[in-house]
Amino acid sequence: MAEHHLRREDLIAPLFVKEGATHPVEISTMPGQFQHSEASLLDECHRLVGLGIRAVLLFGLPTTKDAVGSQASDPSGIVQRAIATLKATFGDRLVVMADLCLDEYTDHGHCGIVRGDGTVDNDQTLVRYGEVAVAQARAGADVVAPSGMMDGQVGAIRGALDAAGFGEVPILAYSAKYASALYGPFRDAVDVTIAGGGDRRAYQQDPANAREAMAEIDLDLDEGADCIMVKPAMSYLDIIAAARARTTVPIVAYHVSGEYSMVRAAAALGYLDEEAVAMEQMLAIKRAGADLICTYFAAQLAEVLA
Ligand code: PBG
């Protein structure tokens, strides 16, 4: 009689790959998650595919950062190399999604190009996003996933991809992405500190707002988003449910670093059962209306679901 089920193929595993790394390094604030070397990323993907996981979302950590995040669109940048290796190895057995943003690649840590006064220049950033999308598609990315929350980013990326002959590459738009404190551990994972103690509240959404998320989703769909993301997940189940009622496209929910680490930490203290809580949360996210869940628990839960 169960109305909802969690399947291994519902899960997307986020993975970090670090340029020049010789071995995987565990992320201190995300136990069980690693900054991978190119070799260990491949090993991890073999393990994930063996467990029945069908998709990964890649984040790159370059050795050099600059004001415009050059490495994000360099054909030999770390994510482009990783995408090419994964596609050559797994073909259609693994969907390779690429996070499309600049923050891991900029020396100031913002998701876009920064003006002299420290504010982000939305429209200059769109040009860079187009270049990054094309570099990722050229490397073989199956899906590009813009997470920077610039206005007009989906349209700009769609235009750039189409013009470069990648009209078939879909866009997973992080449409409703909140300026959340739950991203804290992720910033350790990608070695990002925002210059001058800054934050992303100028471009990410206010947790107080729900209608605004619907406006963002409508805009992204108008601009050509093929599927949308709500992020974080557990504190935003109402947004997932509202999005489900509003659109027919697939909805992905991102169970983010802080959501993962809270469960891990509580379980490590013996306060609760990690696997049972993780499973319950995933089911809640599906019940709210998500089709797919991007989660650091992907491998662990796939083992149970197998
Ligand atoms: C931005 C990006 C972030 C996350 C995914 N993409 C961080 C941010 O917006 O500050 C967070 C993911 C997580 O917390 O697991 N490139």
Side-chain angles (χ1 to χ4, degrees):
M1 298 290 181
E3 295 173 28
H4 296 280
H5 301 272
L6 184 68
R7 307 169 309 159
R8 290 175 294 174
E9 49 272 52
D10 298 331
L11 305 173
I12 302 168
L15 295 172
F16 305 101
V17 57
K18 184 167 183 163
E19 186 173 20
T22 51
H23 59 280
V25 174
E26 191 166 23
I27 299 155
S28 62
T29 52
M30 300 176 71
Q33 301 301 312
F34 296 83
Q35 292 181 338
H36 283 288
S37 67
E38 290 183 67
S40 73
L41 178 79
L42 194 54
D43 292 345
E44 178 65 0
C45 289
H46 275 292
R47 184 173 83 96
L48 291 168
V49 169
L51 286 169
I53 297 291
R54 302 268 185 84
V56 295
L57 176 64
L58 288 185
F59 294 90
L61 287 70
T63 44
T64 55
K65 304 189 183 203
D66 59 25
V68 296
S70 305
Q71 284 299 305
S73 55
D74 190 312
S76 56
I78 182 64
V79 158
Q80 280 68 256
R81 283 210 305 273
I83 293 167
T85 304
L86 294 181
K87 289 317 295 179
T89 307
F90 299 104
D92 286 344
R93 288 186 297 148
L94 186 68
V95 172
V96 177
M97 304 181 171
D99 183 79
L100 198 172
C101 198
L102 293 180
D103 62 324
E104 293 104 45
Y105 304 90
T106 53
D107 49 14
H108 44 71
H110 273 293
C111 296
I113 304 300
V114 172
R115 300 188 191 91
D117 65 0
T119 58
V120 171
D121 186 327
N122 188 92
D123 292 5
Q124 263 201 57
T125 302
L126 297 184
V127 178
R128 287 290 297 134
Y129 283 1
E131 293 165 359
V132 177
V134 170
Q136 292 175 340
R138 202 161 268 150
D142 295 302
V143 177
V144 297
S147 64
M149 290 301 282
M150 297 300 138
D151 290 341
Q153 64 181 14
V154 173
I157 290 166
R158 184 73 273 155
L161 286 173
D162 290 356
F166 296 108
E168 313 265 303
V169 174
I171 299 175
L172 163 57
Y174 286 66
S175 299
K177 177 173 174 180
Y178 285 87
S180 174
L182 292 162
Y183 308 149
F186 174 92
R187 307 235 171 108
D188 296 329
V190 294
D191 300 329
V192 169
T193 314
I194 305 176
D199 60 51
R200 306 203 194 292
R201 285 184 292 176
Y203 39 101
Q204 297 182 353
Q205 287 174 234
D206 183 343
N209 292 355
R211 295 191 302 269
E212 185 183 37
M214 299 306 115
E216 292 281 2
I217 288 168
D218 289 351
L219 284 167
D220 282 0
L221 291 172
D222 280 350
E223 290 174 29
D226 299 280
C227 35
I228 58 166
M229 174 107 85
V230 176
K231 176 185 175 186
M234 292 309 297
S235 302
Y236 298 88
L237 293 177
D238 59 325
I239 306 300
I240 297 173
R244 179 70 294 156
R246 196 171 184 94
T247 168
T248 53
V249 303
I251 296 175
V252 182
Y254 199 145
H255 188 265
V256 301
S257 58
E259 299 179 284
Y260 168 82
S261 295
M262 283 196 291
V263 177
R264 291 285 305 205
L269 288 168
Y271 291 173
L272 46 72
D273 178 336
E274 177 171 317
E275 191 182 291
V277 172
M279 200 61 93
E280 186 176 331
Q281 293 196 347
M282 297 307 137
L283 210 47
I285 294 166
K286 287 211 69 179
R287 193 191 63 237
D291 298 288
L292 301 168
I293 306 169
C294 188
T295 171
Y296 302 97
F297 280 118
Q300 197 177 332
L301 294 181
E303 281 182 26
V304 185
L305 294 167

